[in-house]
C-alpha cells in the first residue's frame, strides 16, 4: 500500500448494538488494513462508549466524542483526526463482507488524480417469504442512492478543499449529497467502486417514517446552498411534497370552512382531504405485507405525514429566508485556554495575586476584539474536584484575568476531575459547545487557542478550529498531531485573522 492510497476508517455512532457487528466485520478482514479506525461517539451523555476488548486489540482504534451534533459533525470530528490520503466513511449499522478491504484498496489504487471520492455498492437484504414493509422498502432505496456515506471513501485533499461536511445538516439526510456537490464544484470527480457493504434493515417503531419528515427542512437548506437544480445533480427526486401540500391545504380548508359555518364547503374540502390521504395510504399499503400491524401503521402515519412535511419545510424556509452562506462559515469568536496560554501556569491556583499574563496576551485579546470577534475562556479546573481549591477561588482568579486582559464575552469552567466521566473536561467538547451557544455562534465559527493537545482535541471534537501554541510542557506528539501550530499568541492570531503563519506538518497536511 502506497502513501497515496493509504486509508483510515471513520465511523459515526450513537452507540447502537450494530456498531459491534460492524467493528467485528472490519477486524475480520484479511486484506489490507486501515492505518487508523476512528469511532466518533455522537451521544450526549458522559458514559464511555463500550467497545469489546478483542475489537480494540484487533484494530488501531481511537474513540472520540462529538457532542451529539449529528453525523455530519461526527464525521468531521473523525476525519480531522486521521492523516492518511483517503478516509473511508462507514455507518455503524452496516456490515462489511469478506473481501471488503481488498476491494476498497483496489478501488483506491485505481483512482485517478482527480478522483475525489469512491462510492461503495450498498446491498440491502429484504425478508424472504413475504413482501417488504414500507420501512423496509425505504431502506432498500439506499442501494440506488447517489453518494451516500454509508460506505464511501473520500480523498483527504478533497475534504480539505471544501472544509468537510456542512454541520448545519443535523440529520443523516442530505449531508452526504451536499458534500458530494461541493466536491464536484471544486473540480473533483466522484466514481462508483467495486467495494461494498451490506446494510441490514434496522428495527423501527411505528412513527419512524413520521420523524423522517424532518428531512424536508434539509431540502430547503439544499435549495439555499445549491439552487433549484440540485436534485437532478444529486439524483434526488422531489417525492410527494406537492401532494402533501395539497393534502394539508385541504385539511386546513375543511377546518376553516367548518369554523366559518359553511358545512357543505367544509364537507367538500374534507372529502378531498380524505381522498388524498387514502390514496397516499394505499400506495404504501399495497406493495407491503398488508397485515394488521402494517395497515394500522400506514393509516396512522399517512394522515400525519403531509402536515408534518409541510410544517418542517415552512419552518426551514423561514430560517433560510435570506439564503445560507457557503460552508465553512467565517470566524466569529476566539476562545482561549487560560493557564499556560493567557496567563503563566500556577498549578491549582486560587490566589488572584499570582495571576501574571504571558507575553503578548493583552495585545492578542485586544486584536481579537478589534477585529470584531467575540472572546472567551475555556479552562479545566480539576483542583476543585481534587479538593485543592474551591469554585469561588476559581472565579476570583478568572475575575483577575478579566481585570488584566479586559472582559471576556464568555468564561467556561469545568471542575470535573480527570478520573470521572465528563462531557466538558477538555479534550471533551462540552465547554467549547457551551461557549458557542453562549455567544450565539456556530461551533464552526469558533477557534480555540491553547498550549496542550487537550485544547486542540476539544476544538476538533466541537467542530471548531484549533491552534496550538506550545510551551515547554507541551509534548512533542501533541505538536506533531496539531492541525495548526504557532510559536506564540501573535502567530496564532496571524493564522486565524490573516491566514498566515506556520502550519503543522501533521494532521492538517493531507497524505503527508
Amino acid at each position: 500500500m502506497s502513501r497515496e492510497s493509504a486509508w483510515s476508517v471513520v465511523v459515526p455512532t450513537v452507540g447502537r448494538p450494530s456498531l459491534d457487528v460492524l467493528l467485528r466485520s472490519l477486524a475480520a478482514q484479511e486484506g489490507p488494513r486501515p492505518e487508523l479506525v476512528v469511532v466518533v461517539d455522537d451521544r450526549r451523555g458522559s458514559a464511555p462508549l463500550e467497545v469489546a476488548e478483542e475489537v480494540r486489540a484487533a484494530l488501531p482504534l481511537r474513540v472520540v466524542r462529538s457532542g451529539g451534533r449529528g453525523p455530519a459533525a461526527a464525521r468531521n470530528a473523525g476525519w480531522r483526526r486521521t492523516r492518511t490520503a483517503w478516509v473511508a466513511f462507514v455507518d455503524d449499522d452496516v456490515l462489511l463482507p469478506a473481501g471488503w478491504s481488498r476491494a476498497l484498496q483496489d478501488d483506491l489504487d485505481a483512482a485517478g488524480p482527480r478522483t475525489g471520492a469512491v462510492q461503495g455498492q450498498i446491498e440491502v437484504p429484504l425478508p424472504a417469504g413475504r413482501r417488504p414493509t414500507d420501512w423496509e422498502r425505504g431502506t432498500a432505496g439506499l442501494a440506488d442512492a447517489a453518494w451516500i456515506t454509508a460506505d464511501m471513501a473520500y480523498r483527504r485533499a478533497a475534504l480539505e478543499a471544501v472544509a468537510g461536511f456542512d454541520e448545519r445538516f443535523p440529520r443523516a439526510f442530505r449531508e452526504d449529497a451536499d458534500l458530494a456537490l461541493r466536491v464536484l464544484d471544486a473540480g473533483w470527480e466522484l466514481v462508483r467502486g467495486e467495494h461494498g457493504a451490506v446494510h441490514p434493515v434496522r428495527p423501527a417503531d411505528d412513527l419512524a417514517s413520521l420523524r423522517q419528515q424532518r428531512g424536508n427542512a434539509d431540502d430547503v437548506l439544499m435549495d439555499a446552498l445549491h439552487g433549484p437544480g440540485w436534485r437532478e445533480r444529486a439524483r434526488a427526486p422531489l417525492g410527494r411534497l406537492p401532494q402533501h401540500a395539497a393534502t394539508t391545504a385541504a385539511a386546513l380548508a375543511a377546518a376553516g370552512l367548518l369554523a366559518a359555518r359553511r358545512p357543505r364547503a367544509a364537507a367538500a374540502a374534507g372529502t378531498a382531504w380524505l381522498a388524498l390521504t387514502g390514496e397516499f395510504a394505499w400506495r404504501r399499503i399495497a406493495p407491503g405485507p398488508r397485515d394488521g400491524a402494517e395497515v394500522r401503521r400506514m393509516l396512522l402515519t399517512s394522515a400525519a405525514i403531509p402536515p408534518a412535511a409541510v410544517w418542517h419545510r415552512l419552518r426551514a424556509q423561514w430560517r433560510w429566508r435570506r439564503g445560507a452562506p457557503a460552508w465553512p462559515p467565517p470566524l466569529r469568536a476566539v476562545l482561549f485556554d487560560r493557564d499556560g496560554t493567557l496567563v503563566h501556569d500556577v498549578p491549582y491556583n486560587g490566589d488572584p495575586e499570582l495571576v501574571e499574563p504571558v507575553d503578548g496576551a493583552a495585545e492578542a485579546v485586544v486584536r481579537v476584539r478589534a477585529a470584531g470577534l467575540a472572546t472567551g475562556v475555556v479552562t479545566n479546573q480539576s483542583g476543585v474536584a481534587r479538593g485543592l481549591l474551591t469554585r469561588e477561588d476559581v472565579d476570583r482568579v478568572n475575575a483577575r484575568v478579566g481585570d488584566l486582559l479586559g472582559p471576556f464575552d464568555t468564561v467556561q469552567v469545568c471542575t470535573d476531575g480527570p478520573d470521572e466521566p465528563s462531557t466538558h473536561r477538555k479534550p471533551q467538547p462540552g465547554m467549547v459547545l457551551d461557549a458557542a451557544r453562549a455567544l450565539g455562534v456556530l461551533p464552526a465559527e469558533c477557534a480555540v487557542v491553547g498550549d496542550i493537545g487537550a485544547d486542540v482535541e476539544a476544538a476538533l471534537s466541537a467542530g471548531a478550529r484549533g491552534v496550538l501554541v506550545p510551551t515547554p510542557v507541551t509534548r512533542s506528539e501533541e505538536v506533531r498531531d496539531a492541525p495548526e501550530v504557532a510559536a506564540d499568541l501573535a502567530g496564532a492570531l496571524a493564522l486565524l485573522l490573516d491566514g498566515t503563519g506556520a502550519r503543522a506538518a501533521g494532521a492538517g497536511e493531507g497524505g503527508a
Side-chain angles (χ1 to χ4, degrees), residues 69-90:
R69 296 179 298 122
R75 292 189 188 104
N76 280 344
W79 75 261
R80 289 170 180 155
R81 264 50 181 243
T82 68
R83 303 177 65 183
T84 50
W86 289 87
V87 181
F89 296 102
V90 294

Side-chain angles (χ1 to χ4, degrees), residues 133 206 285 289-301:
T133 64
D206 286 357
I285 292 170
R290 304 188 194 179
D291 57 40
E294 177 74 352
V295 171
R296 174 184 56 81
R297 192 160 42 239
M298 293 301 97
L299 291 175
L300 173 66
T301 56

Side-chain angles (χ1 to χ4, degrees), residues 82-105:
T82 68
R83 303 177 65 183
T84 50
W86 289 87
V87 181
F89 296 102
V90 294
D91 285 350
D92 71 350
D93 54 355
V94 303
L95 173 70
L96 304 180
W100 176 85
S101 67
R102 169 57 61 194
L104 172 65
Q105 188 68 66

Side-chain angles (χ1 to χ4, degrees), residues 29 73 113 120 151 182 191 219 259 274 285 300 351 357 359 370-371 397 434 442 455 463 467 482-483 489:
Q29 297 293 314
D151 180 14
R182 288 187 290 116
V191 301
D219 284 347
L274 186 60
I285 292 170
L300 173 66
D351 184 356
D359 292 343
V397 170
D434 285 351
L442 296 172
D455 300 315
V467 180
L489 286 173

Side-chain angles (χ1 to χ4, degrees), residues 335-347:
L335 311 175
F336 295 92
D337 169 58
R338 194 189 80 178
D339 302 321
T341 301
L342 287 177
V343 300
H344 289 286
D345 187 12
V346 177

Side-chain angles (χ1 to χ4, degrees), residues 478-495:
E478 294 176 330
V479 178
R480 179 199 66 203
D481 293 340
E484 296 179 279
V485 177
D488 51 26
L489 286 173
L493 294 187
L495 276 170

Side-chain angles (χ1 to χ4, degrees), residues 208-296:
S209 59
L210 181 61
R211 289 193 297 273
Q212 282 188 316
Q213 302 314 306
R214 297 169 183 168
N216 284 280
D218 304 311
D219 284 347
V220 175
L221 180 54
M222 290 290 288
D223 291 340
L225 291 170
H226 301 286
W230 71 267
R231 288 185 178 277
E232 181 177 356
R233 297 180 62 206
R235 305 174 199 172
L238 178 60
R240 288 187 59 91
L241 185 62
Q243 292 92 327
H244 291 336
T247 305
T248 304
L252 293 174
L257 290 167
L258 191 62
R261 298 182 179 180
R262 298 176 58 187
R264 289 186 179 180
T271 300
W273 170 82
L274 186 60
L276 290 167
T277 302
E279 183 270 340
F280 179 40
W282 179 245
R283 279 183 175 270
R284 303 172 71 204
I285 292 170
R290 304 188 194 179
D291 57 40
E294 177 74 352
V295 171
R296 174 184 56 81

Side-chain angles (χ1 to χ4, degrees), residues 66-445:
S66 55
R69 296 179 298 122
R75 292 189 188 104
N76 280 344
W79 75 261
R80 289 170 180 155
R81 264 50 181 243
T82 68
R83 303 177 65 183
T84 50
W86 289 87
V87 181
F89 296 102
V90 294
D91 285 350
D92 71 350
D93 54 355
V94 303
L95 173 70
L96 304 180
W100 176 85
S101 67
R102 169 57 61 194
L104 172 65
Q105 188 68 66
D106 291 343
D107 284 340
L108 301 185
D109 289 340
R114 296 309 300 170
T115 299
V118 182
Q119 180 178 352
Q121 308 283 342
I122 301 297
E123 176 189 350
V124 181
L126 293 177
R130 66 166 173 82
R131 292 188 289 187
T133 64
D134 179 72
W135 178 256
E136 290 165 343
R137 294 194 305 275
T139 304
L142 296 175
D144 299 319
W147 322 133
I148 61 170
T149 41
D151 180 14
M152 188 163 182
Y154 268 92
R155 191 185 293 272
R156 183 184 185 84
L159 292 169
E160 291 178 335
V162 300
F165 291 85
D166 187 332
E167 297 178 11
R168 293 170 295 185
F169 290 91
R171 287 165 287 276
F173 190 70
R174 301 302 188 213
E175 86 291 353
D176 41 17
D178 167 75
L179 175 64
L181 293 184
R182 288 187 290 116
V183 168
L184 288 169
D185 289 341
W188 299 89
E189 299 173 349
L190 306 181
V191 301
R192 282 186 178 265
E194 296 301 320
H195 72 284
V198 177
H199 194 306
V201 180
R202 67 174 183 265
D205 60 64
D206 286 357
L207 299 182
S209 59
L210 181 61
R211 289 193 297 273
Q212 282 188 316
Q213 302 314 306
R214 297 169 183 168
N216 284 280
D218 304 311
D219 284 347
V220 175
L221 180 54
M222 290 290 288
D223 291 340
L225 291 170
H226 301 286
W230 71 267
R231 288 185 178 277
E232 181 177 356
R233 297 180 62 206
R235 305 174 199 172
L238 178 60
R240 288 187 59 91
L241 185 62
Q243 292 92 327
H244 291 336
T247 305
T248 304
L252 293 174
L257 290 167
L258 191 62
R261 298 182 179 180
R262 298 176 58 187
R264 289 186 179 180
T271 300
W273 170 82
L274 186 60
L276 290 167
T277 302
E279 183 270 340
F280 179 40
W282 179 245
R283 279 183 175 270
R284 303 172 71 204
I285 292 170
R290 304 188 194 179
D291 57 40
E294 177 74 352
V295 171
R296 174 184 56 81
R297 192 160 42 239
M298 293 301 97
L299 291 175
L300 173 66
T301 56
S302 294
I305 282 174
V310 172
W311 163 249
H312 288 301
R313 184 167 183 86
L314 291 176
R315 177 175 55 85
Q317 285 177 330
W318 175 256
R319 178 182 179 185
W320 303 113
R321 64 192 180 279
R322 296 186 179 91
W327 184 265
L331 186 67
R332 295 180 61 190
V334 178
L335 311 175
F336 295 92
D337 169 58
R338 194 189 80 178
D339 302 321
T341 301
L342 287 177
V343 300
H344 289 286
D345 187 12
V346 177
Y348 310 119
N349 181 29
D351 184 356
E353 296 301 317
L354 298 180
V355 174
E356 181 184 356
V358 303
D359 292 343
E363 294 83 356
V365 176
V366 166
R367 187 179 178 198
V368 173
R369 295 192 184 106
L373 307 180
T375 60
V377 173
V378 287
T379 177
N380 285 348
Q381 294 298 324
S382 67
V384 176
R386 299 171 193 264
L388 301 175
L389 67 164
T390 67
R391 177 58 194 258
E392 290 72 22
D393 294 333
V394 173
D395 291 341
R396 284 194 295 270
V397 170
N398 287 339
R400 179 59 174 165
V401 174
D403 291 341
L404 295 173
L405 300 179
F408 290 88
D409 297 299
T410 185
V411 176
Q412 301 292 329
V413 177
C414 179
T415 60
D416 296 338
D419 298 325
E420 58 185 298
S422 177
T423 59
H424 284 68
R425 177 177 169 81
K426 294 179 290 185
Q428 304 306 333
M431 279 195 291
V432 179
L433 297 177
D434 285 351
R437 279 190 288 268
L439 297 172
V441 301
L442 296 172
E445 295 173 320

